[in-house]
Amino acid sequence: MSRLLKFNIFRYNPQDEQSEPHMQEFVLEETDSMTLFIALNRIREEQDPSLQFDFCCRAGICGSCGMVINGRPGLACHTKTRDLPGEITLLPLPIFKLVGDLSVDTGSWFREMYTKTESWIHTDKEFDPNALEERMDNKEAVAIYELERCVECGCCVAACATARLREDFMGAAGLNRVARFLIDPRDQRTDNDYYEIIGNDMGIFGCMGLLACEDICPKHLPLQNQLGFLRRKMGITSLKRLFKK
Amino acid sequence: MQTIYTDLLVVGAGLAGERAAVEAADAGFSAICLSLVPARRSHSSAAQGGMQASLGNSVMGEGDCPDVHFADTVKGSDWGCDQEVARLFADTAPIEMRRLAHWGVPWNRVVPGKSIYYKGGKQFEKVEAQEKEGLIMARSFGGTAKWRTCYTSDGTGHAVMCTMDNRCAQVGVEVHDKTEAIAMIQDGETCYGVVARCLRTGELRVYLSKATMIASGGFGRIYPNTTNAVICDGGAHTMCVNTGVVPMGNMEAVQFHPTGIVPTDILVTEGCRGDGGTLLDVDEKRFMDKYEPEKAELASRDVVSRWMTHHMREGHGVKSPYGEHLWLDIRHLGEEHITGKLREVYEICTSFLGVNPIHQLIPVRPTQHYSMGGVRTNKDGAAYGLKGLYAAGESACWDMHGFNRLGGNSLAETVVAGGIIGKKIAEYLEGCETEFKTALISDTVKAQQARIDALVSGSNGSENVYKVRAAMQDALNKGANIFRTEEGLKECVTTLQDTLIRSKNVGLRSNGRGVNPELAAALKLEGQVKMALMLAYGALMRTESRGSHNREDYPARNDRDWLTRTLAYWKKPDDDLPTLEYEPATSVVEIPPGDRGYGKSEIISADDKKE
Ligand SMILES: Cc1cc2nc3c(=O)[nH]c(=O)nc-3n(C[C@H](O)[C@H](O)[C@H](O)COP(=O)(O)OP(=O)(O)OC[C@H]3O[C@@H](n4cnc5c(N)ncnc54)[C@H](O)[C@@H]3O)c2cc1C
Ligand code: SF4
Ligand code: SF4
Ligand code: FES
């Protein structure tokens, strides 16, 4: 016998003057292998066509569907209702600007982050279409990819205490991005260049190291290692800079 | 209303769109990409396998070159492709892969020395050459003569998409995400841009441009079951269809993949079968070995999909609340293999199904996967019918895939075509002066506003958008699926014609304010049904079997009568059928039609015509 699931969903449409933030209850019969993707679409198609939420790949690879599920930020598409109690509370991710209901604007936040971190290879080498590719060690390539796996879902930012206190905090995702370029041999930036970007309270020195980000990351990125690595590296750079003065 | 001006407007910020925009920006032009979602969430990022380019660095790729890649592509297309384009593609792919490396893609690299690999469940050994150390590595893929698929672990699309989007940020290409193009501004001769709806506020916005490119990806979502993201709904195609002058090429060419999981149709890789997995029916009995004694589960994608469907039709499917399916069994491969080499499959099964494939069967069914058809362009990527309009990537029928695209060839196409066509656009922009007619712009906006008002007020009727959409999907599923017959296609066309009328009578149930998702679905529905009709009607008229287009009543590939590309137009808004025209599949013939070397081989020769 399948369960009747009770959903408490945050509702607010900022574009509608008559809309007030509130929680709304929906009831749905659970089916086999039901995910929140299936459940929310059914609620929209059968009960309330105005319900806003974001899904894209629905396969855990694009990062669209971050939301707070029973108190914990996560990807809704790979959350099975079977793993949740009969009562499910869904809230939009905090910190990001609300678009409506469960939908938030992660795009603007991340675009700002990668403008700030200048998230691209800095090199003065020109591409030569007639030459062989430049060689790279496979281990290095794999290590870079390991950090590039971030899907920009925003869950780590939503779970971060510093990000709640400081609007300009780069978050684990931003710091991880810097680490990705720092270990890339193609990028010619120096430690000093990176210090300009993250050697402050908006960056690595704002992080309190409480681990929430790594705990929550649905892609299991090694965020703590990266934060530790950057803190040491920037600490040393900071000292070097002091002595230079 | 906000009006935004740019030299190049790209509808789509996937790999194809961003690659073209970078090319235009490098030539000194302004470029804006529109996207429904942040660029990196585009469906390009979902591709795991990799992209083909004949670098020949791996020992298993030795001797590979553009000629071999070209031949594989033409055979794969079942001689439905434009050979000039396939040639351009094969020649350029290696350069583009190297360029991506220069821009930052962490391609897996050649590690010299001994290593093991599996084929057909058996273990083999290979030795990579010392002098190739650190060059871009390749892996094996279906339908290719050599190991040619460049990859970054199991996240190729994601890694390349990140790099491309970084490059856009670096060279100043703007991406306007959460923005949906809903209508084209055009006068029947020239395209001047689009009217778009902001998905942050719901407001309409005008984008004016000297050149406009459609790079909006596939339209798999007009089927009920697909591996495609929910945003791959053909919304941007409908803008082109609605112009009446821009044809869609080969809409009947739709690729199905044997192993989408049930219920969500997420793809599990061909590697499962490659490594020795088997397909089972409701009685947990193997069946592929009966239909294809030699290759069994390892026959080509279209062949396996066909037999699976056949077997379910014979009553051997497993019933479920999500419809019928079959089982994929990889249990015998063992825990080590499954959590190692098939880690991705293991994760998909455990995260999305709650099924542990080490001990349990995986529910699968053949599912829509790739749209070979789309906005028809010439070899420069210029769309037929309108000046200043271009298309690239999965949304386009540039036509290097013909009636069946090879795995790894479409991700490579996005960057190769994006680069080539981006350059052509830059040349076009160089000599381009445009006048924007204000009346044309305001008329287009007014028409869109009127459409929205009618949907909100329900003045056209009260049809439920989701029900009409389901009717369209269901009709295609029944009639224009893996197997096609005259009877099924006729019924499909009739149902779709009825659905088309219903789509014109949709009224919203919600108030339509702000970023209303019901409104977004309603705005594209009529156009989607028209696309579905182009697909089904094109399939009905094409009385042969070629690549993925499989007519049970016409099993032979008929080169005598059908070495052609279908062009489907929706000439007048009130037509109830598309107008079909035909052109030769290719004007340049490097490889004359022959046997593909796999699948069935009944061919009516083109030579028969002359005799
Ligand atoms: C699960 C899966 C796995 C795959 N794996 C491989 C593989 O391993 N190798 C391979 O070669 N191919 C693979 N493919 C195919 C390949 O990924 C796609 O064909 C390719 O990525 C398409 O890229 P694109 O740039 O054309 O479009 P997309 O990446 O789909 O981008 C489309 C863009 O258009 C935007 N858009 C759409 N409509 C509108 C609108 N109305 N207004 C504004 N913007 C709009 C979207 O937001 C998006 O930015 C796979 C496909 C799937 C589904
Ligand atoms: S460790 Fe740092 S970045 Fe991570 S959640 Fe804590 S404060 Fe935020
Ligand atoms: S680091 Fe992890 S949690 Fe943070 S945005 Fe990236 S994928 Fe999401
Ligand atoms: S929809 Fe893509 S991660 Fe959930």
Side-chain angles (χ1 to χ4, degrees):
Chain A
M1 186 52 208
S2 55
R3 294 188 295 174
L4 281 184
L5 300 174
K6 194 168 119 192
F7 288 88
N8 300 309
I9 299 181
F10 176 81
R11 301 302 307 270
Y12 177 51
N13 180 355
Q15 304 299 322
D16 182 350
E17 292 128 47
Q18 278 146 39
S19 174
E20 294 271 345
H22 65 286
M23 299 300 289
Q24 187 177 349
E25 191 182 301
F26 297 94
V27 176
L28 199 65
E29 196 182 325
E30 191 171 31
T31 47
D32 269 358
S33 308
M34 187 183 245
T35 60
L36 288 181
F37 168 74
I38 296 171
L40 283 168
N41 275 287
R42 272 188 50 194
I43 292 175
R44 177 149 85 193
E45 289 177 22
E46 294 162 15
Q47 303 187 31
D48 189 336
S50 70
L51 184 63
Q52 289 184 51
F53 49 76
D54 293 319
F55 285 99
C56 178
C57 70
R58 56 79 180 94
I61 36 189
C62 76
S64 290
C65 60
M67 59 182 73
V68 181
I69 304 158
N70 282 354
R72 200 182 149 88
L75 295 180
C77 69
H78 78 177
T79 303
K80 297 177 292 298
T81 53
R82 181 207 288 185
D83 299 336
L84 297 171
E87 193 164 340
I88 300 167
T89 301
L90 302 178
L91 293 163
L93 288 184
I95 300 188
F96 303 98
K97 189 161 180 255
L98 183 75
V99 174
D101 302 338
L102 299 174
S103 169
V104 295
D105 180 4
T106 45
S108 302
W109 192 95
F110 277 94
R111 198 178 320 144
E112 199 173 306
M113 180 275 275
Y114 56 84
T115 315
K116 251 192 269 178
T117 57
E118 300 192 9
S119 156
W120 53 81
I121 301 278
H122 290 54
T123 178
D124 50 22
K125 285 190 193 141
E126 287 282 329
F127 174 67
D128 177 358
N130 300 314
L132 270 190
E133 62 270 26
E134 207 165 299
R135 290 170 199 256
M136 191 182 212
D137 184 60
N138 192 55
K139 284 207 192 76
E140 251 168 3
V142 171
I144 296 167
Y145 174 70
E146 202 51 28
L147 304 187
E148 197 147 275
R149 278 170 43 241
C150 167
V151 294
E152 306 193 350
C153 63
C155 290
C156 60
V157 182
C160 170
T162 307
R164 286 194 192 219
L165 296 173
R166 299 193 63 113
E167 214 182 282
D168 52 8
F169 182 56
M170 248 173 228
L175 293 165
N176 174 68
R177 179 64 50 84
V178 171
R180 180 249 175 266
F181 285 98
L182 212 152
I183 64 167
D184 193 323
R186 291 166 293 195
D187 198 303
Q188 295 168 343
R189 279 180 280 186
T190 62
D191 287 352
N192 249 322
D193 295 333
Y194 287 114
Y195 192 88
E196 297 294 332
I197 304 171
I198 57 163
N200 51 38
D201 284 352
M202 283 106 75
I204 193 64
F205 301 128
C207 164
M208 300 185 284
L210 299 175
L211 292 163
C213 49
E214 174 156 327
D215 232 28
I216 227 92
C217 175
K219 289 309 223 186
H220 309 294
L221 264 74
L223 296 172
Q224 276 317 304
N225 282 343
Q226 294 320 307
L227 292 167
F229 163 70
L230 290 178
R231 198 175 292 114
R232 280 193 305 278
K233 194 132 192 138
M234 290 301 116
I236 295 168
T237 311
S238 164
L239 284 175
K240 279 192 192 148
R241 285 163 75 109
L242 269 179
F243 285 120
K244 258 196 199 150
K245 272 184 193 158
Chain B
M1 173 160 340
Q2 210 183 351
T3 301
I4 294 164
Y5 174 86
T6 179
D7 293 326
L8 171 62
L9 176 72
V10 186
V11 180
L15 282 178
E18 287 204 333
R19 177 68 188 87
V22 164
E23 203 62 32
D26 282 345
F29 297 101
S30 62
I32 297 178
C33 296
L34 307 184
S35 175
L36 302 173
V37 291
R40 289 158 198 240
R41 310 220 199 285
S42 298
H43 207 44
S44 290
S45 70
Q48 292 165 347
M51 44 218 289
Q52 288 200 37
S54 55
L55 293 165
N57 292 331
S58 162
V59 62
M60 306 298 289
E62 237 166 53
D64 202 10
C65 65
D67 290 343
V68 185
H69 190 184
F70 168 77
D72 283 344
T73 304
V74 174
K75 280 184 206 159
S77 82
D78 219 353
W79 275 270
C81 73
D82 183 328
Q83 294 195 14
E84 214 180 342
V85 168
R87 170 52 75 183
L88 211 56
F89 163 71
D91 286 352
T92 317
I95 301 172
E96 283 299 319
M97 298 312 127
R98 292 183 176 126
R99 192 192 310 272
L100 289 173
H102 182 75
W103 285 350
V105 172
W107 293 121
N108 279 51
R109 302 296 182 131
V110 176
V111 179
K114 263 190 208 164
S115 57
I116 53 163
Y117 68 99
Y118 296 85
K119 197 175 164 190
K122 289 204 194 84
Q123 194 173 312
F124 295 89
E125 200 180 81
K126 67 177 171 63
V127 183
E128 296 294 345
Q130 189 65 46
E131 72 268 19
K132 301 282 187 183
E133 180 171 15
L135 294 176
I136 298 171
M137 182 57 188
R139 59 161 54 135
S140 168
F141 241 56
T144 65
K146 305 273 176 189
W147 283 27
R148 182 188 297 137
T149 309
C150 311
Y151 64 101
T152 57
S153 303
D154 52 5
T156 310
H158 176 80
V160 178
M161 196 65 239
C162 286
T163 294
M164 193 64 78
D165 196 40
N166 286 340
R167 184 77 191 169
C168 280
Q170 183 183 1
V171 301
V173 169
E174 281 180 48
V175 178
H176 293 194
D177 66 7
K178 282 193 179 281
T179 303
E180 176 158 32
I182 60 167
M184 202 170 278
I185 302 171
Q186 50 89 26
D187 55 10
E189 278 171 17
T190 309
C191 173
Y192 300 100
V194 305
V195 176
R197 187 165 164 260
C198 172
L199 301 182
R200 286 188 176 81
T201 62
E203 280 158 14
L204 293 187
R205 210 185 280 151
V206 169
Y207 285 89
L208 297 178
S209 53
K210 289 183 183 166
T212 304
M213 177 190 241
I214 307 295
S216 56
F219 49 87
R221 286 278 155 181
I222 67 174
Y223 278 86
N225 313 320
T226 169
T227 61
N228 287 192
V230 295
I231 59 167
C232 300
D233 58 14
H237 291 81
T238 68
M239 298 195 301
C240 302
V241 169
N242 290 337
T243 63
V245 295
V246 177
M248 298 289 126
N250 280 348
M251 292 293 273
E252 63 269 35
V254 181
Q255 184 171 74
F256 294 85
H257 197 290
T259 54
I261 60 168
V262 181
T264 39
D265 297 285
I266 296 166
L267 192 72
V268 292
T269 172
E270 232 165 81
C272 293
R273 283 170 292 131
D275 295 354
T278 51
L279 291 163
L280 307 180
D281 63 16
V282 64
D283 304 319
E284 301 193 12
K285 278 212 191 89
R286 225 180 137 197
F287 56 90
M288 275 307 298
D289 52 336
K290 298 200 186 73
Y291 295 122
E292 295 277 334
E294 277 199 8
K295 292 211 146 179
E297 279 85 358
L298 296 176
S300 63
R301 271 184 197 178
D302 47 336
V303 174
V304 178
S305 296
R306 267 173 225 148
W307 286 125
M308 288 171 76
T309 312
H310 171 81
H311 203 62
M312 285 193 278
R313 276 201 202 153
E314 300 280 292
H316 304 298
V318 185
K319 302 223 171 5
S320 86
Y322 305 99
E324 287 194 21
H325 64 76
L326 294 160
W327 300 113
L328 174 64
D329 184 6
I330 57 171
R331 294 173 301 185
H332 50 288
L333 301 183
E335 176 162 0
E336 197 187 322
H337 188 99
I338 294 172
T339 53
K341 190 141 187 276
L342 296 173
R343 182 181 115 190
E344 195 61 35
V345 174
Y346 179 74
E347 279 183 12
I348 288 173
C349 291
T350 47
S351 320
F352 292 90
L353 293 173
V355 161
N356 182 344
I358 299 168
H359 307 293
Q360 289 169 289
L361 299 173
I362 310 167
V364 293
R365 66 183 164 208
T367 186
Q368 194 283 347
H369 183 56
Y370 187 81
S371 322
M372 269 81 72
V375 181
R376 175 66 187 141
T377 72
N378 65 14
K379 66 172 193 250
D380 297 339
Y384 286 18
L386 283 181
K387 216 176 123 206
L389 183 64
Y390 293 80
E394 191 172 341
S395 65
C397 181
W398 188 39
D399 218 1
M400 52 169 277
H401 301 303
F403 274 76
N404 176 56
R405 73 111 176 152
L406 293 182
N409 252 4
S410 74
L411 211 54
E413 177 195 15
T414 60
V415 292
V416 172
I420 291 173
I421 296 165
K423 216 176 217 98
K424 292 288 167 191
I425 293 175
E427 282 167 23
Y428 172 81
L429 287 170
E430 207 69 63
C432 177
E433 278 311 320
T434 317
E435 271 174 42
F436 297 108
K437 303 170 196 161
T438 51
L440 179 70
I441 299 163
S442 65
D443 285 354
T444 313
V445 174
K446 271 187 211 141
Q448 293 312 307
Q449 193 57 56
R451 227 152 64 88
I452 292 172
D453 294 344
L455 286 166
V456 172
S457 67
S459 59
N460 294 333
S462 59
E463 286 280 4
N464 177 326
V465 59
Y466 297 116
K467 289 202 172 129
V468 179
R469 188 173 74 183
M472 165 188 74
Q473 292 171 332
D474 192 48
L476 284 181
N477 197 35
K478 282 207 188 102
N481 212 307
I482 292 169
F483 283 113
R484 300 163 176 197
T485 60
E486 174 169 321
E487 195 192 355
L489 285 165
K490 271 193 173 149
E491 192 186 315
C492 176
V493 168
T494 316
T495 313
L496 286 171
Q497 284 177 314
D498 176 52
T499 314
L500 181 62
I501 298 170
R502 291 176 63 194
S503 74
K504 293 177 200 243
N505 299 336
V506 162
L508 299 192
R509 285 170 297 150
S510 55
N511 66 15
R513 287 196 199 125
V515 195
N516 186 286
E518 192 188 16
L519 178 60
L523 279 168
K524 65 192 91 168
L525 185 60
E526 188 182 331
Q528 285 175 319
V529 181
K530 287 178 177 168
M531 287 166 65
L533 270 163
M534 290 175 158
L535 195 164
Y537 191 54
L540 173 64
M541 299 318 273
R542 185 174 280 273
T543 48
E544 65 154 355
S545 293
R546 184 181 298 275
S548 66
H549 171 67
N550 197 67
R551 285 285 300 258
E552 283 179 287
D553 39 1
Y554 295 94
R557 190 183 88 202
N558 183 344
D559 293 336
R560 184 188 62 208
D561 305 315
W562 289 104
L563 214 48
T564 56
R565 180 175 303 104
T566 311
L567 299 178
Y569 294 84
W570 206 276
K571 295 219 161 155
K572 290 195 216 76
D574 293 331
D575 284 352
D576 63 354
L577 269 185
T579 306
L580 302 185
E581 291 172 9
Y582 295 91
E583 65 179 9
T586 187
S587 48
V588 173
V589 182
E590 249 189 86
I591 307 182
D595 186 8
R596 292 165 95 187
Y598 48 85
K600 65 177 182 323
S601 53
E602 199 183 336
I603 297 169
I604 299 171
S605 167
D607 300 335
D608 293 356
K609 213 181 235 168
K610 291 155 204 158
E611 284 150 25

